[in-house]
Amino acid sequence: MLQPTIRKRILGIALGLIFLMAITSALSTVMTRKIAHQLDEFSSRYVEAYGHLARMNIRSLEQALALRRLMISRMQTPPDEPSMADQRKIYEAKGQEIEQEAQAARALINAIIDDSSTASDNARLGRIDDRIERVISDLHRYLGEEYKRLLTLIEAGNIAEARASVARTDALRDDLNQRIEIIRTDMLALVRGDAEMTMRDQKTAIVISVVLTLLASILGLIFSLFISTGITGPVRRLLDGTRAVEAGRLDGSIDVTTRDEIGQLTTAFNNMVEQLRHKERLRETFGRYVDPRVVEGLIDRQSPTASDGERRVMTVLFCDMKGFTSLSEGMTPQGLVKVMNHYLSTMSGPIRSHRGIIDKYIGDAIMAYWGPPFTEHSEQARLACLAAVEMTDRGAALRTELPELLGVRNVPSDCDVRIGVATGEVLVGSIGSEFMMSYTVMGDAVNLASRLENANKIYGTHSLASEPAIAAAGDAIEAREIGRLVVAGQTKPEAVFEIMGRKDELGEKRLMLRERYAEGLAAYRTQRWDDARQAFRAALEAVPGDGPSLVLARRVEDFQANPPAADWDGAWRLDQK
């Protein structure tokens, strides 16, 4: 069964809160209306009824005052007939007003009794209504009869009897007023009771409204927390998974706990991570055959690495092992692969650690290069020359490891590492056919590096570099010029240098060697053969067996026996590739 979407969940929360608010508002409205009705009944019925009863007392007193004024007007000599007539009218009018006030009070009391929507003491109200009715009845019976008797006595001029009648009338009125006062007291108690009940209902309504509001808020909060937890939980897991992917950890996946949009997003995220894992495995596998930085550039088509081809100044290095062919003869295929892998790993380490790109392995030879976008232009030659120094050092250590790998006591003495380094303009880019492409470099600098690697055979050196490479390397290394060569495939001579080691790491003898060799080379180029012979002899005394010194010393002897042509420029031409 499909779970509701996030939109439906949020809509459900909103509708639930609206429903709770509607219930709270409805109950509050009902209670408010009830209280309003009670207040209306209290103000327009209870209070008004009590007012009518209070005015009955007032009208009774006004009636008694009119009766006394009537007596006073009659007792005057001569009697004030107009005043008597006026006071008689007032007396009768007040009597009607008393009856009207009583009837109005009864009507309001009966309205309260008939209203079933409010709680009231109907029995007590009924008794008050009966007592008001009896008061009106007594008012008609007693006061009406006594009033008629009083008028007869006044007209007959019997003042004494009239005064007695007034006294009786006052007694009857006092009794009626007292009874009205008792009714008023009972009515006032009912008014106060209704007011207290209204206040109590109002407080109850407030409490219920507060409780309902709190209940709605709590329920809304619970629903919101429940829904938000169902939303934020998977989102947090997605966030943690995203951070893990950002940190390069692709070994995990996120459990899909919902089928809403977040569940779909989680599924898509897991699929993406799986694709990334697959690509990473391809990258790792492919990276063993092609440098990972080249792979990155080829994958990212916006990178300069993926260009179809352009010319750049780069530094190229070739490395080969002297005597490896004879060394591998008689080895089993498994043993040969073991030795080759160890040798190539040993020699590749310095290249990778100095940020070089291994272009290819050609048998026991290694081709590598440095330059943009993998290394800065100003650093490429320095890094290549430092890598060459370390590879030379490792070559010496490799000679001690090979016997154990081969299972022999020693290896041939001529088994050694040869390195050629050249800096120059090359063509770099993806080169190949429609069936297979290779990101590589091509050009004179590549050929020169390969020829310099091979020239080590002639001079008995380990590492030779072109003049631009040495100049760009700066003071990072110690070097000496070997001579000027015209390598196969070129017509112009190139100044060739031997990379002797890192800066300030040459001993006293090797410094002496470099100095004497430089003197001999200068004499050699100016055809001062005796001076050259003495300088090379001094160089060999400093470092016996120095290959370049031996080679140039033999050339001096040859030129002394057979002088060079008049246009000789001091360069040596290599016919071998």
Side-chain angles (χ1 to χ4, degrees):
M1 181 179 180
L2 293 176
Q3 295 186 2
T5 62
I6 296 176
R7 179 183 178 186
K8 290 183 179 179
R9 291 184 182 183
I10 296 175
L11 183 61
I13 294 175
L15 292 176
L17 292 176
I18 292 173
F19 179 72
L20 291 174
M21 291 173 62
I23 292 177
T24 303
S25 178
L27 291 175
S28 299
T29 301
V30 170
M31 290 185 293
T32 301
R33 288 183 178 178
K34 179 181 178 181
I35 293 171
H37 183 64
Q38 289 177 340
L39 289 173
D40 180 69
E41 183 181 69
F42 173 76
S43 60
S44 63
R45 292 179 181 176
Y46 277 95
V47 175
E48 287 294 327
Y50 179 79
H52 287 303
L53 293 175
R55 285 191 291 273
M56 285 178 67
N57 275 337
I58 295 172
R59 302 293 180 265
S60 178
L61 293 174
E62 290 175 345
Q63 192 180 41
L65 180 61
L67 184 61
R68 278 169 172 72
R69 287 176 178 175
L70 177 63
M71 286 290 297
I72 293 171
S73 297
R74 179 67 182 84
M75 291 173 66
Q76 291 180 2
T77 304
D80 189 355
E81 295 294 337
S83 178
M84 289 176 60
D86 291 340
Q87 295 302 320
R88 183 174 178 178
K89 290 179 181 179
I90 292 173
Y91 181 87
E92 293 175 353
K94 295 302 178 183
Q96 293 177 357
E97 290 178 3
I98 291 172
E99 184 174 355
Q100 290 174 357
E101 296 289 351
Q103 293 298 337
R106 290 189 63 198
L108 290 172
I109 292 172
N110 287 322
I112 295 172
I113 294 172
D114 294 338
D115 190 355
S116 60
S117 62
T118 58
S120 58
D121 192 348
N122 292 336
R124 193 171 180 180
L125 288 171
R127 288 194 296 270
I128 290 175
D129 179 63
D130 291 340
R131 288 160 65 185
I132 293 173
E133 184 180 8
R134 286 198 300 271
V135 167
I136 295 174
S137 177
D138 291 345
L139 177 66
H140 281 292
R141 188 174 67 251
Y142 296 115
L143 290 181
E145 294 174 358
E146 195 62 36
Y147 174 67
K148 291 177 182 180
R149 185 181 301 110
L150 176 62
L151 290 178
T152 301
L153 292 173
I154 290 173
E155 290 176 357
N158 192 349
I159 301 302
E161 289 293 333
R163 288 178 177 174
S165 177
V166 170
R168 288 193 298 274
T169 301
D170 290 340
L172 289 172
R173 182 174 289 105
D174 290 341
D175 179 62
L176 288 175
N177 286 341
Q178 186 177 5
R179 291 162 62 186
I180 292 173
E181 186 67 26
I182 294 172
I183 293 173
R184 283 177 55 201
T185 302
D186 291 343
M187 191 65 193
L188 181 61
L190 286 175
V191 170
R192 290 175 177 172
D194 187 75
E196 292 176 357
M197 182 177 63
T198 302
M199 293 297 295
R200 187 169 56 251
D201 290 344
Q202 186 177 17
K203 291 180 180 179
T204 302
I206 293 173
V207 171
I208 292 175
S209 297
V210 171
V211 171
L212 287 176
T213 302
L214 289 176
L215 181 61
S217 300
I218 293 172
L219 290 176
L221 182 61
I222 292 174
F223 290 152
S224 299
L225 288 175
F226 178 75
I227 299 299
S228 62
T229 301
I231 295 175
T232 57
V235 170
R236 286 175 180 170
R237 289 194 293 271
L238 272 173
L239 180 59
D240 293 338
T242 303
R243 288 173 177 169
V245 172
E246 183 181 11
R249 300 191 300 272
L250 304 175
D251 53 347
S253 60
I254 302 175
D255 294 333
V256 180
T257 57
T258 62
R259 295 185 180 179
D260 54 16
E261 292 89 343
I262 295 180
Q264 297 172 12
L265 180 61
T266 304
T267 301
F269 178 83
N270 288 336
N271 293 335
M272 180 194 72
V273 172
E274 181 60 32
Q275 292 296 323
L276 289 175
R277 279 199 294 263
H278 179 65
K279 290 181 179 179
E280 188 63 24
R281 286 192 294 267
L282 289 177
R283 194 190 307 272
E284 290 176 357
T285 303
F286 195 30
R288 295 187 177 183
Y289 298 90
V290 181
D291 191 280
R293 286 170 291 174
V294 176
V295 175
E296 291 286 348
L298 293 174
I299 292 175
D300 182 8
R301 297 301 300 177
Q302 300 299 321
S303 171
T305 309
S307 62
D308 293 333
E310 60 179 307
R311 290 196 170 276
R312 298 182 193 152
V313 174
M314 302 189 78
T315 300
V316 183
L317 179 147
F318 272 85
C319 174
D320 197 358
M321 177 174 278
K322 176 184 176 183
F324 186 81
T325 302
S326 60
L327 181 66
S328 62
E329 292 178 356
M331 294 178 60
T332 63
Q334 294 81 2
L336 180 59
V337 170
K338 181 179 179 181
V339 172
M340 279 289 293
N341 288 343
H342 181 72
Y343 157 70
L344 293 174
S345 297
T346 301
M347 292 296 104
S348 299
I351 297 174
R352 296 294 292 271
S353 64
H354 288 84
R355 293 184 287 165
I357 302 295
I358 298 175
D359 184 82
K360 60 177 69 73
Y361 297 123
I362 311 169
D364 60 332
I366 302 173
M367 175 184 171
Y369 57 85
W370 283 258
F374 310 108
T375 53
E376 296 294 331
H377 177 74
S378 59
E379 295 183 321
Q380 56 176 315
R382 178 179 62 85
L383 293 171
C385 290
L386 289 175
V389 173
E390 186 174 343
M391 293 169 71
T392 301
D393 295 340
R394 290 197 179 189
L398 184 64
R399 283 178 52 81
T400 63
E401 299 171 356
L402 285 177
E404 183 178 353
L405 292 173
L406 296 172
V408 297
R409 292 185 177 182
N410 50 42
V411 296
S413 59
D414 62 347
C415 185
D416 211 342
V417 174
R418 300 190 304 250
I419 300 171
V421 180
T423 298
E425 188 178 78
V426 297
L427 175 65
V428 56
S430 298
I431 300 171
S433 67
E434 60 178 321
F435 305 105
M436 183 176 179
M437 302 291 290
S438 175
Y439 186 83
T440 187
V441 294
M442 299 175 62
D444 291 340
V446 179
N447 297 330
L448 179 58
S450 176
R451 303 296 184 266
L452 292 179
E453 177 270 318
N454 192 55
N456 285 289
K457 298 178 183 178
I458 298 172
Y459 290 99
T461 52
H462 295 291
S463 182
L464 295 178
S466 66
E467 183 177 14
I470 296 300
D475 59 357
I477 60 169
E478 300 284 358
R480 64 169 169 169
E481 183 180 359
I482 297 301
R484 299 174 66 193
L485 296 180
V486 179
V487 299
Q490 293 185 355
T491 58
K492 293 182 179 180
E494 294 275 354
V496 178
F497 291 75
E498 179 190 13
I499 302 174
M500 302 179 71
R502 298 178 184 86
K503 183 67 175 178
D504 298 329
E505 291 188 358
L506 295 183
E508 182 179 355
K509 292 183 178 181
R510 289 176 64 79
L511 290 173
M512 181 65 71
L513 167 67
R514 182 169 63 179
E515 184 177 353
R516 299 285 82 83
Y517 185 85
E519 294 173 357
L521 183 61
Y524 171 79
R525 286 175 175 169
T526 58
Q527 301 185 25
R528 292 183 286 113
W529 309 121
D530 291 336
D531 293 338
R533 184 188 308 110
Q534 292 177 4
F536 291 136
R537 187 177 301 161
L540 289 170
E541 288 176 0
V543 179
D546 178 58
S549 298
L550 291 172
V551 171
L552 263 69
R554 286 196 297 268
R555 288 181 186 173
V556 168
E557 293 178 359
D558 292 340
F559 281 136
Q560 282 183 321
N562 299 297
D567 59 349
W568 182 68
D569 57 1
W572 190 262
R573 285 166 175 76
L574 297 179
D575 297 329
Q576 300 180 20
K577 292 186 178 182

